[in-house]
Structure formats: C-alpha cells, structure tokens
Amino acid sequence: KEPYVGQSPIITGEIAEDSSAKYNMQEASKQGIKLGAYFFSTAVTAEEAIEEANWVADFLAPYQITYPVAYNCEGFNDPENRQYALSKQDRTDIALAFLKQIEKRGYEAMFYASKNEMENDTKWEVSRIDPDYKIWVAQYPEDPSPETEKSSYPGTHHMWQYSMEGRVPGIRQNVDRNIAYFGYDGIEFL
C-alpha cells in the first residue's frame, strides 16, 4: 500500500496510527483500566486485512490487552472510499481474514458494525461471522442506557455501543459509551 501525501487512508489504504493511541493505552494501563482496541480497516483484499492485523498486533504487543481487538469498517458506501466497489461477500471475507489473523497473533477478535448494517445480513454476512467471533453492535436509541435497557439488534451480540455523547472526567470531548456482556461478574460499563 503506497501512501499518497495529503490523501485520506480511505482512499490510499495507508495504515494510520491514531495520534492519541499510545498515550491513551499507557495512561489507562497506569490507572488499572482494562484495555482493548479496535482497528478502522481500509483493506480491499484478504492480504491487506492480514497486513492490518499484523500491524495491530505489533502495535499492541507492549500492552496487556484484556478486552477483544475489534475490526471496524465504515464509509464503504462513499464513492470516494477505496472499498466502495466491494460486495457484501468481499467485505465479509476481508473482515474474516483480519479476525482470523488477529486470533493467530494471540488476541481475542471481535467484529464491530452498526445495527442497520448487520440486521438481516444487510451489508455484512454476519451469519458467517457470529458463529466464531464476538459481535459489537452500534445502535444509539433516543433514550440511551440505562433508560433503554438493551439494544434492539436481534442477532447475537456481546457488546453494545449505545451513545457517542458520553462524558468522562478528564476527557474534554464526548466519548462513546458501551456495555459489555462478557468476561466479568456483571455488566461492565466502559
């Protein structure tokens, strides 16, 4: 993947590090916060997805990762996006290549997408993903948790992102809010 100066990774496919990732991982570790990660993929082939998964695994190697490593792919309906021409099957094959490789590298893999994209296999063949991997659904009800107790996504899911407007002391901007339904003695709020 050759980088093109001044163009977005959704056009070039260049793997780009979140400029705050290392700081956030280090500070969360210092505070005893459990760590996970998600990766915003721009892969258009299984080979590129494997390259991305290896990059993520190398990036995460210094940290104690306790939550899954999630695959995220958005914006593929935009004609400017390099993934625009991919079929639902192609996108799913690419996601599965990433998820399989991240597991080979020793991390638990998770798939992230919106309720509307996953429901009835609309934009993804979730029926091929959910037998083997955890699913993280993004759905923002008018009245977020705790007023709305759970996602209305009818498929199996292990995590629910219910808001993009959360507030956390010490962070100036809004943050996503999630509920995980796995791994602990109860529901953990992130």
Side-chain angles (χ1 to χ4, degrees):
K1 300 182 192 178
E2 292 294 319
Y4 296 92
V5 177
Q7 290 187 331
S8 165
I10 65 167
I11 296 170
T12 67
E14 179 182 5
I15 296 173
E17 178 183 326
D18 178 333
S19 61
S20 301
K22 286 181 182 173
Y23 174 80
N24 289 341
M25 300 286 273
Q26 291 165 356
E27 293 303 306
S29 292
K30 287 180 192 175
Q31 299 301 317
I33 296 171
K34 297 191 181 301
L35 300 176
Y38 77 87
F39 182 77
F40 189 95
S41 176
T42 61
V44 294
T45 66
E47 292 76 20
E48 286 184 2
I50 291 167
E51 178 185 349
E52 290 177 342
N54 286 329
W55 184 92
V56 171
D58 291 345
F59 182 87
L60 295 176
Y63 307 100
Q64 185 176 357
I65 304 301
T66 52
Y67 261 81
V69 175
Y71 175 89
N72 178 18
C73 176
E74 300 175 19
F76 49 80
N77 288 322
D78 179 348
E80 301 254 334
N81 190 309
R82 70 193 301 259
Q83 299 166 324
Y84 180 70
L86 295 175
S87 70
K88 173 173 48 174
Q89 180 180 351
D90 291 340
R91 277 194 305 280
T92 302
D93 289 344
I94 290 165
L96 286 168
F98 179 96
L99 296 167
K100 287 174 186 172
Q101 185 65 21
I102 210 70
E103 275 196 339
K104 283 181 186 174
R105 294 293 304 268
Y107 298 97
E108 184 174 13
M110 177 182 270
F111 178 78
Y112 170 93
S114 72
K115 173 186 180 254
N116 296 339
E117 290 177 359
M118 291 192 294
E119 201 164 36
N120 301 314
D121 282 0
T122 302
K123 299 286 183 176
W124 297 94
E125 294 175 341
V126 182
S127 57
R128 289 177 47 212
I129 299 170
D130 73 11
D132 298 313
Y133 301 101
K134 283 184 168 63
I135 301 293
W136 180 7
V137 62
Q139 178 203 3
Y140 312 122
E142 188 174 322
D143 296 315
S145 180
E147 290 81 14
T148 300
E149 293 183 7
K150 62 182 185 173
S151 169
S152 64
Y153 174 63
T156 301
H157 58 287
H158 303 86
M159 217 163 147
W160 172 33
Q161 185 174 96
Y162 62 87
S163 176
M164 296 184 303
E165 299 175 355
R167 301 299 298 168
V168 174
I171 299 177
R172 285 179 240 145
Q173 67 270 19
N174 288 342
V175 298
D176 296 338
R177 297 288 300 202
N178 302 277
I179 298 174
Y181 301 107
F182 62 90
Y184 300 101
D185 293 337
I187 295 172
E188 293 293 320
F189 290 85
L190 304 176

